[in-house]
Amino acid sequence: MASKVAIVTDTTACIPAELVRKYQIEVIPIEIVIDGKASYDSALDLNEFYKLLKESSQTPKTVGSVPGPYIEAFSRLSAKTDQILCVTEPVRFSGMFNAAQLAAMQVLEKHKNLCIKVIPCETAAAGLGLVVLEAARHAESGKSLDNLVNVINTLMPKIYLYATLDTFEYLIKGGRIPKIAALADSVLQIKPVFTLRNGDAQTIALPRTAEKALQNIMDLMTEHVKGKGKLRVAVMHADALERAHRLEQNIKEKFPQAEILFMEFTPVMGVHTGPGVVGVAFYEV
């Protein structure tokens, strides 16, 4: 039996396809229902998805987290390895952790020699992606499952994530924030900057323009980067390529030694935030 730990996550991690292939990461797709039609988000073209999102007469929804896809993935991986690490979104954001835990329990009943660890991440989107990629790098070098668990538990508190929303519309539609926010959004035209740490999201600034929001993000990043060591960065966006590249360029100029990944929001993320999100996740090595 191969000793290399298999890494499992889901499409909310927004990991670029070439890195999924390079590290052989198992990515669980999530179903989205748009205008009554269900599709796995991994099968949707991003440009077409955002077009549908803007034109849809109904609020798109994600299908509830279920253990089935995890059972299938864990069972398939059991033929290749006896160690599996699964990293999910924070518990407050979805039921993916619970679904993966249920799946692990069922699979372990049939595969007694298998060891599966399911860990809820303390961050999400590009932050989750950075955690999974770090685990994958260590798995590639032959580290044990216990070692990988220690690595990511140490890493998660070091990751900062800041992003700006273009609109509250989709969060309001999804029932994730009160409708009173719609009034503030329409009257003030604010571009909120939020952070995500310890499994919870908080709004930390309410700039009135997208440019000020990007500047806020750069200021926050500068505040946290204290050392002169290597910086790992993931710039993320949802149908906001130009602003995301602008943020990427600003980061390159400010932190020339940074290792920067560029991540597009997958449809499952875009359903909840809508288009226009731009943000960054980062940590010092």
Side-chain angles (χ1 to χ4, degrees):
M1 182 68 73
S3 61
K4 180 182 170 184
V5 180
I7 306 296
V8 180
T9 190
D10 61 71
T11 44
T12 64
C14 305
I15 300 171
E18 64 271 18
L19 293 177
V20 169
R21 288 191 295 269
K22 177 180 178 180
Y23 292 112
Q24 299 179 305
I25 300 167
E26 184 77 24
V27 181
I28 304 295
I30 298 172
E31 268 194 309
I32 294 176
V33 179
I34 303 177
D35 289 334
K37 183 182 176 183
S39 306
Y40 279 114
D41 67 334
S42 57
L44 295 170
D45 175 80
L46 277 172
N47 291 329
E48 184 64 22
F49 163 73
Y50 283 112
K51 185 172 180 287
L52 285 171
L53 188 65
K54 292 169 187 174
E55 295 174 355
S56 176
S57 58
Q58 302 172 21
T59 303
K61 296 179 180 178
T62 52
V63 176
S65 308
V66 291
Y70 284 105
I71 292 172
E72 183 184 326
F74 294 160
S75 299
R76 186 171 62 253
L77 291 169
S78 70
K80 303 176 183 178
T81 183
D82 54 6
Q83 302 177 88
I84 298 172
L85 174 64
C86 177
V87 189
T88 74
E89 275 197 306
V91 175
R92 292 187 191 186
F93 288 4
S94 78
M96 299 302 280
F97 171 74
N98 290 333
Q101 280 277 63
L102 284 171
M105 288 168 64
Q106 290 192 40
V107 172
L108 288 171
E109 286 179 4
K110 295 182 180 178
H111 301 274
K112 303 295 185 185
N113 295 328
L114 190 62
C115 187
I116 304 174
K117 294 277 190 181
V118 182
I119 296 179
C121 195
E122 293 177 5
T123 181
L128 170 58
L130 288 177
V131 170
V132 173
L133 286 169
E134 186 66 8
R137 278 189 283 266
H138 282 264
E140 189 73 15
S141 68
K143 298 290 176 61
S144 70
L145 179 56
D146 285 342
N147 185 279
L148 264 61
V149 170
N150 289 334
V151 164
I152 65 173
N153 281 335
T154 301
L155 175 60
M156 285 189 290
K158 296 179 181 178
I159 292 179
Y160 292 91
L161 183 151
Y162 296 104
T164 178
L165 283 169
D166 194 46
T167 175
F168 280 128
E169 178 186 351
Y170 295 89
L171 288 174
I172 293 163
K173 279 182 179 178
R176 292 184 176 239
I177 58 174
K179 288 187 178 180
I180 189 68
L183 179 62
D185 188 31
S186 61
V187 172
L188 301 176
Q189 287 296 295
I190 55 177
K191 307 296 179 187
V193 174
F194 64 91
T195 187
L196 204 165
R197 276 177 70 75
N198 303 317
D200 195 21
Q202 291 184 332
T203 302
I204 51 173
L206 298 170
R208 297 284 290 274
T209 68
E211 283 305 313
K212 285 183 179 176
L214 290 185
Q215 187 56 54
N216 275 12
I217 289 172
M218 283 303 302
D219 291 345
L220 288 160
M221 200 174 169
T222 302
E223 183 183 314
H224 288 297
V225 178
K226 304 295 184 187
K228 295 183 179 179
K230 193 173 184 180
L231 192 64
R232 285 206 170 112
V233 180
V235 173
M236 59 185 176
H237 78 96
D239 198 34
L241 189 61
E242 184 182 331
R243 281 187 293 131
H245 277 311
R246 202 149 68 239
L247 178 60
E248 180 185 30
Q249 189 57 41
N250 291 342
I251 293 168
K252 283 179 178 177
E253 291 171 4
K254 184 75 178 180
F255 307 104
Q257 302 305 315
E259 175 188 302
I260 304 176
L261 288 174
F262 201 77
M263 296 184 177
E264 291 184 285
F265 261 28
T266 46
V268 68
M269 297 295 294
V271 161
H272 298 306
T273 66
V277 175
V278 177
V280 63
F282 62 93
Y283 66 96
E284 290 183 87
V285 178

